[in-house]
Amino acid sequence: MVSLTTIRTANINFADAHRHETGRVCVFAGATSGIGAGTLESLARMLRAPIFYIIGRSAERFTSQRSELQTLNPDSDIVFLEAQFYLLADVDAACEQIAEEQQAVDYLYMSPGLIPVNGPEYTAEGLETCFAISFYARMRLVHNLLPLLRQSSRPRVLSVLNAGHERALVDNDLGLEQNWSAFAVVDHSTTMTSLAFDHLARYNDRITFLHVSPGWVRTNNFARLEAPVSSGVAWATFLMFLRAVATMLALLFGISSEEAGERQAFHLTSDSYGPGAWRISHTSESATPKHVLEVYRDQDRPAKVWEHVLRVFEKALVEGSS
């Protein structure tokens, strides 16, 4: 495990070594709480006069966080882009504004998510909400910003998800239209992220793609779980039990969102991770190799997964505009 002391020393050294470099452009989705907020604060301390684009639901709710960031780094430029991240059209609109204002993007960080315990819910574009947030919308953001990432001298893409826990896919239903379950969403988002990054790295050999598992982190993700009114007493009781167990496990074994953020900042800036596709565990080391990924790579699944992603993009945008 890479120790927290090593992480902090590396981050301080990066800040010192790059103290004369200004204006790094960083795009964040999922930075208004938890790990993302911790990562944003860490980079605010490390970068000189950075430009932060924050994609989130409410600029008003971001006000206090903005003040804290500007206190940490008065020279930072913070642009909040209001969007419902589960809508590809909103992701497109955010990317269009970034492209109008910037010539390059240096760091792209993504960690928005929902815990899919209340059954499938669908967006106006026909995508299941949890799957859209954890995978499709993230891939749309990467897809749209690739031209700007290619213009950076040190481009990095980081998706906080579940690296090292890849499992077999439902081959004839990658989008889980017929086989949705909470576990299937987690498995498909995880495995397809690793395969998609493999594909993108093959054709973008200057970009570093990082799929990271943060491990147990003390965030409020489980605390926000609520049962729908129509679900009944039994399900509401189960969710209360799940919240209690998850909270206890996080307190016993989890790290703070601040430490998790420091680790993600390290992943985004460390020379340990060069161009290519990386799977990083909660220890900040390479995740354990998975046999299923080796099989899929031999079968050219990375390209097939990306072809699926592009088809989903096209279909969802058509459905959303109708």
Side-chain angles (χ1 to χ4, degrees):
M1 181 174 185
V2 182
S3 70
L4 181 57
T5 299
T6 299
I7 297 285
R8 288 175 172 168
T9 299
N11 289 351
I12 291 170
N13 289 342
F14 177 91
D16 182 63
H18 298 271
R19 63 186 180 278
H20 299 302
E21 299 177 14
T22 62
R24 286 185 186 269
V25 178
C26 312
V27 178
F28 276 76
T32 56
S33 64
I35 300 170
T39 306
L40 187 54
E41 289 180 8
S42 291
L43 285 181
R45 292 187 181 95
M46 295 167 60
L47 304 178
R48 184 179 177 191
I51 302 170
F52 293 125
Y53 284 90
I54 315 300
I55 301 173
R57 288 177 293 178
S58 173
E60 183 178 355
R61 289 201 295 268
F62 188 70
T63 301
S64 61
Q65 190 176 347
R66 177 194 290 273
S67 298
E68 292 172 4
L69 290 169
Q70 291 179 325
T71 299
L72 287 173
N73 190 335
D75 295 323
S76 61
D77 184 5
I78 303 170
V79 181
F80 193 92
L81 304 175
E82 284 196 346
Q84 294 290 353
F85 192 69
Y86 55 74
L87 293 175
L88 302 189
D90 278 21
V91 174
D92 287 353
C95 292
E96 287 171 7
Q97 181 171 336
I98 296 169
E100 288 174 359
E101 299 174 356
Q102 302 299 332
Q103 299 298 312
V105 167
D106 298 295
Y107 302 140
L108 170 56
Y109 170 94
M110 302 171 290
S111 65
L114 292 174
I115 300 173
V117 296
N118 284 321
E121 299 176 359
Y122 293 89
T123 72
E125 296 172 337
L127 298 178
E128 197 282 314
T129 303
C130 291
F131 206 177
I133 292 175
S134 62
F135 182 67
Y136 291 115
R138 297 190 192 197
M139 292 304 111
R140 185 66 176 180
L141 191 57
V142 176
H143 173 270
N144 289 353
L145 294 180
L146 275 175
L148 295 181
L149 287 160
R150 293 176 185 135
Q151 299 307 309
S152 170
S153 62
R154 191 187 177 91
R156 297 209 171 178
V157 175
L158 191 156
S159 186
V160 176
L161 198 59
N162 202 27
H165 301 279
E166 294 85 356
R167 297 179 184 276
L169 301 169
V170 181
D171 292 334
N172 61 350
D173 188 19
L174 293 181
L176 299 176
E177 295 177 9
Q178 306 299 323
N179 294 274
W180 190 97
S181 73
F183 291 114
V185 170
V186 172
D187 290 345
H188 274 228
S189 296
T190 300
T191 303
M192 290 167 67
T193 293
S194 291
L195 293 175
F197 278 3
D198 280 351
H199 174 79
L200 291 170
R202 180 178 180 182
Y203 294 98
N204 298 274
D205 58 8
R206 291 183 52 256
I207 301 177
T208 300
F209 295 90
L210 300 157
H211 178 191
V212 180
S213 173
W216 280 102
V217 181
R218 295 192 292 274
T219 68
N220 64 349
N221 286 349
F222 281 94
R224 292 181 296 182
L225 289 179
E226 293 184 1
V229 176
S230 60
S231 63
V233 175
W235 185 245
T237 302
F238 171 75
L239 284 188
M240 289 178 60
F241 171 76
L242 181 61
R243 286 198 301 267
V245 171
T247 300
M248 182 179 299
L249 289 173
L251 287 173
L252 290 173
F253 304 109
I255 62 175
S256 68
S257 57
E258 291 76 17
E259 178 180 340
E262 290 177 279
R263 286 188 176 275
Q264 306 322 311
F266 170 75
H267 300 149
L268 282 168
T269 58
S270 173
D271 289 333
S272 298
Y273 314 105
W278 293 79
R279 298 163 53 253
I280 307 298
S281 75
H282 67 283
T283 65
S284 296
E285 299 169 309
S286 293
T288 302
K290 300 291 285 189
H291 177 69
V292 68
L293 290 180
E294 296 304 320
V295 172
Y296 284 161
R297 288 165 182 151
D298 290 342
Q299 296 173 347
D300 200 28
R301 291 294 185 87
K304 293 175 182 176
V305 164
W306 194 248
E307 290 169 2
H308 161 78
V309 169
L310 296 179
R311 288 195 300 270
V312 169
F313 288 168
E314 183 176 2
K315 180 180 178 181
L317 291 171
V318 169
E319 184 163 340
S321 63
S322 60

